[in-house]
Amino acid sequence: MDFSSINPALLIASLMVSATPILLAAIGEAVVEKSGVLNLGVEGMMIVGAVVGFIIAVNTDAPLLGFICAAIVSGIFSMIFGILTQYLKSNQVATGLGLTLVGLGLSALLGRPYEGMKSPTLKALDIPFLGDIPVLGKMLFSHDLMIYFSVFIVAMVWWFLKFTHAGMVLRAVGENHDAAHALGYKVVRVRMLAIMFGGATSGLGGAYISLARVPQWTEGMTAGAGWIALAIVVFASWRPWRVLFGAYIFGGVTVLQLNLQAAGASIPVEYLSMSPYLITIVVLVIISSRGNQGAPASLGRPFHASS
Amino acid sequence: MYIKSVIAGAIASVGIAAAALAADVKVGFVYVGPVGDYGWTYEHDQGRLAVEKHFGDKVETVYQELVPEGADSERVMTQMALQGADLIFTTSFGYMEPTINVAEKFPNVKFEHATGYMRADNVSTYSARFYEGRAIQGHIAGKMTKTNKVGYIGSFPIPEVVRGINSAFIHARKVNPDVEFNIVWIYTWFDPAKEADAATALIEQGCDVVLQHTDSTAPQAAAEKAGGVITFGQASDMAMFKPTPRVSSIIDDWAPYYIARTQAVLDGTWTSTDTWDGIGPGMVGIGEITSAVPADVKAEALAMKDAIASGDYHPFTGPINKQDGSVWLAAGETADDGTLLGMNFYVEGIKGDVPQ
Amino acid sequence: MLKLEKRLQQSKKWIYLSPFLAVVITMISGGILFTILGENPFEAIRIIFWDPLFDPNFASYSRPQLLVKAGPLILIAIGLSFGFKAGVWNIGAEGQYIMGAIFGAGLALAFYPMESKLIFPLMIIAGALGGFLWGMIPAFLKAKLNANEILVSLMLVYVAESILASVSQGLLKNPDGYGFPGSRNLQKYESAANVEIISNSGMHWGVLFAFITVIFSYIVLTRHIQGFNIQLTGEAPRAAKFAGVNPTANIVFCLGISGALAGLAGMFEVAGPSGQITIEFNSGYGFTAIIVAFLGRLHPVGILLSGLLIALTYIGGELAQLMLGLPGASIQLFQGMLLFFLLATDLFANYRVKIGTN
């Protein structure tokens, strides 16, 4: 066993790459859940983003445009969930599962002609000065644009939820939609916007898989990343910076175990792969037992304006 | 609408019946992945298309993709048999028991199960000696690595994969005594993101050759991104990554076998057999060795390919010791198929354990 | 401007009408989808909905298969419906299904190759116990520590999947299986095999249990105090409290029964249609059952019918792939559309749609 072959700087750099898709999806879902909506269709929205991003990038040779279109289309796609749950009052759990089903089917059909193709990928940014710092430069400042953008989104969400009026309204709607409604806030509209935001970031996350991390298109390529994103939101107890931390931990466990194996350590892979979920449960239990810091109170409950 | 659909349906079913009458033999294929995976399932489907092309109107083929192993596959096979298939290829190890079950119910339908070990009067098995191709990869890898570290992405620690690792390792060591194998098990056949992560981990730890026993092209893309790393196509040629990182490939060429077995059904000479073919009969193909490989290495690799094909050389020829140093094969002795089929040990020199 | 007005009581007429409306809309949009894919839409729709039931070639086989596919879905969905009515959201049935299968198969393999009439009944108990225990984890955490059961039960699905992968390659691996992951085939082990009660009917013990559960659940919900408590807790939590309904008992009951039934479904599947514990053993029944429960409007008879309908789209979808060479993804999409339209038309049962101004 020779752990000296593991380069910590490279390890952290590659765990950031590996974590970015789930980070993007999770930060969006965190906003959705903060507004009191549980959308289990993350996997479906991600894979739609993955295929749309890929198709656009291949046809236009512009990966950035691929990301933009992925966000837009997945945002629109999430509106199916939004309309069904918010206007037609359907059950959120079942509708979310349906969204995943439709997303997987739709993406596979759209992506057929693109299987086996290579896409243009995002170039790593060449950051002057910072990129040349030993160790840190390689670790933090040699990435592509989307990695920084994902961190930027986290910061924006944090700022939005904490310091803006709109963010306060969103949290109020998530905690008690009846009271929020009584105060004159447009519960449904707020939630629709949150769902759309969640769809857009999930789409970005999916596109990051097909355009940067893998990069190619294959049917079902998100392989459960959307479900991991759901776990991260809980792990993070719905706090933006903890979502970032959680995503890097979840991504990190995978990357770390692969690196340990490559370095020759024989490790029980199954136990390691279930550990993030067990930790998530523990975290959830701790925050719930402390009282009001747990899930948004209206999470998953239908809202109907009775007045 | 209801009436219309019934009428349309009636017309359509007459159409189907006519088509079925036109073909002498109907061949079904059950796939575990999507036909567009550019790996395992893709090559089986290429075999199916070759059958269609070869026989024209005499043979009709049907297939079903993304069939989960277990109870669902049993139903899919039964429906194929009911639909009039005369010969059904089931192309994943997990279909073994379902294939046997369905074959019992349809004694007149012939079944062919890939990579399994259970046979019956109407069930044949077939598999390819991928390890022959692995020997050639090992040779090229041993010659070309500069860091003396070769990465290997394993799916599951089953004999087929372990055999490939051993074969590649033996031949890499033969030409480069300093070479080490770094093996990563990812416990999936197909997860592009995880395969990419595994390849990246190996490359970052200094491996400049990455071999894979998983089905997606993600490791190729990771190697291309990293630069200075070579890879080999797995199951399928993965030609879009030529000339580097992909410098050669092992191709599962099922077409000759599928055509031969279909012909046997047409002729009425089909019997239950156990086929394990390699480079010689053409079931294992070696994809073009690109210009990234020096000419002398390429020549040696091709010479080895010819020797294996003609039967002059067996990739597991002694002296070979097991990992613990005990003798497995004495000098000049070749491995028997039984041991190879159940191979669950590493040969001497590989570090680490086969996960149990 | 369209306006929704919540009905005081669900509209009886629309409860029955809306599923048909949804199926018709699905047929139309599915037809459009199949036309885009270059197929005759009428033929595709006929193959999916009609052929599995009445085609002279297939029906004798696919009708029983309908039961095989619907059995676990109904069994799990009935269990879930108790909780969903009471506002206890178990969405981890998939994990409970896996654990039931592991417990059941584990027990059988521990006795292998002994033959005894007692083994199968013991497996039934073990399977139910496995699911029950797995369901008790979120129940305990919810009752004692107020941890959200939706999330805990979902997380436990992944933990169960990891355990499944581990035992298929280790503890329960077939020693005669040439090192391939996967257990012995329980169908070949007479005492443990979940056989068809009437041959070629598809009626294995699991399907029988599913039917019994439908009746049992109908009785509990309409005649028993526990059923009343559940309804009350779901509809008026505060009133339930005053009525003396113990919330902890309610959570334990709901998660316990749904866990046990999901575990049973897993055990019947592993001992019967599937036969083996493998890494890929679970094929999403636990999640599909959530859909079945909602399509059946959480009513026992509704679940019975929706389970059969979903099973029909699976089997018909497979046939359509086979006969027309349709890609598997188009069937997924088709099922998703069916679900969406069913959920959407539900609106009419719960709300009155009014046209007017604000």
Side-chain angles (χ1 to χ4, degrees):
Chain A
M1 234 175 280
D2 177 19
F3 294 128
S4 65
S5 62
I6 301 179
N7 178 338
L10 288 179
L11 182 73
I12 290 176
S14 60
L15 86 77
M16 286 173 78
V17 172
S18 156
T20 295
I22 47 180
L23 169 61
L24 283 164
I27 192 68
E29 178 69 12
V31 171
V32 177
E33 291 188 18
K34 266 284 175 195
S35 79
V37 177
L38 180 67
N39 184 352
L40 295 183
V42 182
E43 179 85 3
M45 302 186 295
M46 281 184 90
I47 195 127
V48 166
V51 78
V52 168
F54 193 85
I55 291 172
I56 299 296
V58 164
N59 285 322
T60 63
D61 217 24
L64 222 47
L65 189 63
F67 279 106
I68 293 167
C69 293
I72 293 171
V73 174
S74 292
I76 295 170
F77 181 64
S78 72
M79 285 297 92
I80 300 177
F81 174 86
I83 291 167
L84 279 168
T85 58
Q86 301 309 308
Y87 291 104
L88 304 183
K89 318 291 177 196
S90 73
N91 178 275
Q92 294 176 8
V93 171
T95 313
L97 291 173
L99 197 69
T100 293
L101 203 63
V102 167
L104 288 171
L106 189 65
S107 64
L109 288 182
L110 291 175
R112 288 218 145 207
Y114 294 88
E115 279 164 351
M117 281 192 192
K118 286 204 281 186
S119 80
T121 62
L122 281 183
K123 298 245 173 343
L125 293 183
D126 200 8
I127 306 174
F129 308 119
L130 291 175
D132 301 329
I133 304 171
V135 186
L136 274 184
K138 188 87 194 133
M139 189 159 78
L140 301 177
F141 303 111
S142 62
H143 292 297
D144 57 57
L145 180 68
M146 282 309 293
I147 291 203
Y148 304 110
F149 186 64
S150 67
V151 178
F152 173 73
I153 290 183
V154 173
M156 289 305 291
V157 167
W158 170 76
W159 171 78
F160 170 81
L161 287 176
K162 196 165 169 109
F163 295 111
T164 67
H165 178 72
M168 191 211 75
V169 171
L170 183 127
R171 281 185 290 136
V173 165
E175 285 304 328
N176 186 337
H177 46 220
D178 293 324
H181 177 72
L183 288 172
Y185 298 131
K186 305 276 185 214
V187 173
V188 169
R189 187 179 303 166
V190 167
R191 289 185 168 168
M192 286 299 278
L193 289 171
I195 293 166
M196 199 187 291
F197 176 75
T201 61
S202 296
L204 283 179
Y208 194 77
I209 299 180
S210 66
L211 288 178
R213 188 169 164 215
V214 172
Q216 58 187 200
W217 164 253
T218 33
E219 191 170 337
M221 73 181 305
T222 47
W227 299 99
I228 296 175
L230 283 164
I232 291 168
V233 177
V234 184
F235 174 86
S237 50
W238 297 269
R239 293 173 172 201
W241 290 112
R242 285 200 205 163
V243 168
L244 179 83
F245 178 68
Y248 284 2
I249 292 277
F250 273 62
V253 168
T254 317
V255 171
L256 182 68
Q257 69 99 343
L258 292 170
N259 267 281
L260 285 173
Q261 281 200 60
S266 55
I267 43 166
V269 176
E270 296 94 24
Y271 299 106
L272 211 59
S273 64
M274 72 171 84
S275 60
Y277 302 107
L278 288 174
I279 297 168
T280 300
I281 294 174
V282 171
V283 169
L284 182 67
V285 167
I286 293 170
I287 53 174
S288 322
S289 61
R290 275 209 223 128
N292 63 354
Q293 298 189 338
S298 294
L299 186 61
R301 292 214 320 241
F303 167 74
H304 179 73
S306 44
S307 65
Chain B
M1 174 179 160
Y2 171 77
I3 299 287
K4 257 190 195 163
S5 78
V6 170
I7 294 169
I11 294 166
S13 50
V14 170
I16 287 172
L21 283 176
D24 297 344
V25 164
K26 189 170 198 169
V27 187
F29 294 81
V30 185
Y31 302 141
V32 72
V35 292
D37 69 354
Y38 277 80
W40 180 255
T41 296
Y42 174 78
E43 283 302 325
H44 285 287
D45 200 52
Q46 293 298 307
R48 177 184 72 87
L49 295 171
V51 168
E52 281 203 332
K53 202 172 161 205
H54 184 265
F55 292 101
D57 290 342
K58 275 198 289 186
V59 172
E60 188 197 347
T61 69
V62 290
Y63 74 93
Q64 195 146 343
E65 60 182 342
L66 291 166
V67 178
E69 296 171 352
D72 291 313
S73 68
E74 200 166 320
R75 180 169 57 249
V76 167
M77 290 171 207
T78 308
Q79 284 171 347
M80 272 189 186
L82 286 172
Q83 201 205 2
D86 306 283
L87 174 65
I88 298 174
F89 292 94
T90 59
T91 65
S92 178
F93 175 77
Y95 298 152
M96 182 166 67
E97 309 259 2
T99 304
I100 296 290
N101 290 347
V102 178
E104 267 172 30
K105 282 186 257 166
F106 296 92
N108 294 325
V109 178
K110 320 284 186 243
F111 292 83
E112 300 257 356
H113 176 241
T115 70
Y117 53 82
M118 292 168 91
R119 280 171 289 280
D121 282 346
N122 59 337
V123 182
S124 288
T125 53
Y126 64 102
S127 187
R129 295 181 188 264
F130 307 112
Y131 67 87
E132 296 185 349
R134 291 281 172 202
I136 296 161
Q137 286 186 354
H139 183 89
I140 298 174
K143 282 274 185 182
M144 291 198 56
T145 176
K146 295 186 185 70
T147 60
N148 290 330
K149 289 175 90 171
V150 173
Y152 206 114
I153 305 171
S155 47
F156 294 97
I158 57 173
E160 186 193 328
V161 180
V162 173
R163 205 159 54 226
I165 294 173
N166 283 331
S167 176
F169 181 78
I170 290 167
H171 294 87
R173 263 286 161 95
K174 222 172 239 176
V175 294
N176 181 350
D178 297 323
V179 80
E180 299 277 348
F181 269 31
N182 294 27
I183 300 158
V184 171
W185 298 101
I186 61 168
Y187 295 93
T188 170
W189 289 105
F190 183 80
D191 180 345
K194 203 163 187 185
E195 290 170 55
D197 285 350
T200 307
L202 288 164
I203 292 165
E204 286 177 356
Q205 294 198 20
C207 298
D208 61 352
V209 180
V210 175
L211 306 181
Q212 63 177 106
H213 203 136
T214 51
D215 291 344
S216 91
T217 53
Q220 318 275 333
E224 184 173 52
K225 203 168 162 191
V229 178
I230 63 166
T231 59
F232 296 84
Q234 159 70 14
S236 164
D237 196 31
M238 303 190 177
M240 53 281 203
F241 291 94
K242 273 198 244 184
T244 75
R246 172 224 167 274
V247 297
S248 182
S249 59
I250 299 180
I251 305 168
D252 308 342
D253 189 358
W254 307 107
Y257 183 74
Y258 287 168
I259 290 171
R261 299 305 280 173
T262 307
Q263 186 68 50
V265 171
L266 273 168
D267 298 344
T269 56
W270 190 97
T271 51
S272 170
T273 53
D274 173 21
T275 304
W276 199 19
D277 278 349
I279 295 175
M283 194 177 270
V284 175
I286 300 298
E288 182 203 337
I289 300 175
T290 64
S291 56
V293 179
D296 57 326
V297 178
K298 181 173 175 177
E300 289 162 17
L302 290 176
M304 186 193 282
K305 178 186 163 190
D306 292 338
I308 293 173
S310 65
D312 292 342
Y313 178 64
H314 190 293
F316 289 104
T317 304
I320 299 174
N321 292 345
K322 292 189 179 177
Q323 193 180 30
D324 58 10
S326 63
V327 176
W328 173 39
L329 296 170
E333 192 187 349
T334 56
D336 64 286
D337 281 356
T339 314
L340 288 181
L341 279 172
M343 190 175 241
N344 58 358
F345 58 87
Y346 285 147
V347 294
E348 190 173 32
I350 299 182
K351 298 225 171 83
D353 305 309
V354 181
Q356 290 301 331
Chain C
M1 179 79 193
L2 289 174
K3 213 179 154 203
L4 295 183
E5 191 182 284
K6 195 169 171 84
R7 294 178 195 267
L8 292 174
Q9 259 194 324
Q10 285 195 324
S11 153
K12 276 268 159 16
K13 183 181 81 182
W14 274 105
I15 283 182
Y16 296 114
L17 257 180
S18 63
F20 289 99
L21 181 65
V23 170
V24 169
I25 302 175
T26 311
M27 283 182 174
I28 294 169
S29 26
I32 295 171
L33 170 72
F34 296 132
T35 312
I36 295 171
L37 290 170
E39 297 298 336
N40 177 343
F42 297 108
E43 191 186 350
I45 299 290
R46 188 211 61 197
I47 291 174
I48 294 174
F49 287 101
W50 183 262
D51 282 4
L53 295 173
F54 302 108
D55 181 90
N57 252 337
F58 298 106
S60 63
Y61 173 74
S62 37
R63 252 178 281 169
Q65 282 296 310
L66 215 53
L67 294 180
V68 172
K69 195 83 190 169
L73 289 174
I74 295 169
L75 202 51
I76 302 171
I78 289 280
L80 294 176
S81 67
F82 286 104
F84 290 175
K85 270 186 195 292
V88 177
W89 300 96
N90 174 13
I91 63 170
E94 186 81 356
Q96 293 138 19
Y97 172 86
I98 292 172
M99 294 315 280
I102 293 178
F103 269 56
L107 184 118
L109 293 170
F111 281 110
Y112 183 87
M114 196 180 95
E115 297 284 356
S116 160
K117 287 248 178 287
L118 285 176
I119 291 177
F120 194 66
L122 282 176
M123 283 168 69
I124 294 180
I125 295 167
L129 185 69
F132 174 80
L133 291 176
W134 209 243
M136 275 303 102
I137 301 174
F140 175 80
L141 296 179
K142 168 86 178 182
K144 292 287 165 210
L145 302 164
N146 198 29
N148 186 318
E149 77 284 5
I150 300 184
L151 304 163
V152 175
S153 60
L154 180 63
M155 294 303 111
L156 285 172
V157 174
Y158 306 114
V159 178
E161 279 178 347
S162 296
I163 294 175
L164 176 69
S166 166
V167 298
S168 336
Q169 294 167 76
L171 194 61
L172 301 181
K173 187 162 86 173
N174 182 358
D176 305 328
Y178 292 92
F180 280 93
S183 75
R184 280 183 200 282
N185 189 343
L186 296 177
Q187 289 169 344
K188 301 276 159 62
Y189 177 19
E190 204 177 311
S191 299
N194 168 22
V195 288
E196 281 182 323
I197 301 166
I198 310 161
S199 69
N200 290 330
S201 65
M203 269 294 268
H204 62 64
W205 288 97
V207 180
L208 183 69
F209 260 74
F211 288 144
I212 293 172
T213 313
V214 169
I215 298 164
F216 163 81
S217 139
Y218 186 80
I219 294 169
V220 168
L221 288 175
T222 52
R223 302 270 181 278
H224 194 271
I225 180 75
Q226 186 65 40
F228 173 74
N229 288 350
I230 286 171
Q231 310 259 28
L232 191 61
T233 315
E235 278 159 22
R238 219 170 297 157
K241 228 176 200 170
F242 284 123
V245 178
N246 179 347
T248 305
N250 209 29
I251 291 164
V252 169
F253 174 81
C254 290
L255 274 160
I257 197 158
S258 56
L261 290 179
L264 271 179
M267 177 268 154
F268 284 123
E269 192 70 11
V270 76
S274 163
Q276 279 178 295
I277 289 280
T278 57
I279 296 171
E280 313 275 326
F281 163 74
N282 59 314
S283 46
Y285 278 125
F287 289 113
T288 313
I290 297 174
I291 295 171
V292 169
F294 281 109
L295 295 188
R297 300 206 159 67
L298 307 182
H299 186 280
V301 179
I303 288 171
L304 178 74
L305 295 175
S306 69
L308 289 168
L309 176 67
I310 293 286
L312 180 66
T313 64
Y314 271 110
I315 290 169
E318 280 168 5
L319 269 185
Q321 285 182 61
L322 191 62
M323 308 276 286
L324 303 174
L326 280 170
S330 62
I331 302 302
Q332 256 176 339
L333 190 55
F334 185 77
Q335 286 175 327
M337 288 196 303
L338 174 64
L339 173 64
F340 281 160
F341 290 130
L342 276 159
L343 289 167
T345 51
D346 247 8
L347 176 84
F348 299 114
N350 293 318
Y351 296 89
R352 215 183 294 277
V353 181
K354 279 196 168 174
I355 302 167
T357 50
N358 270 344

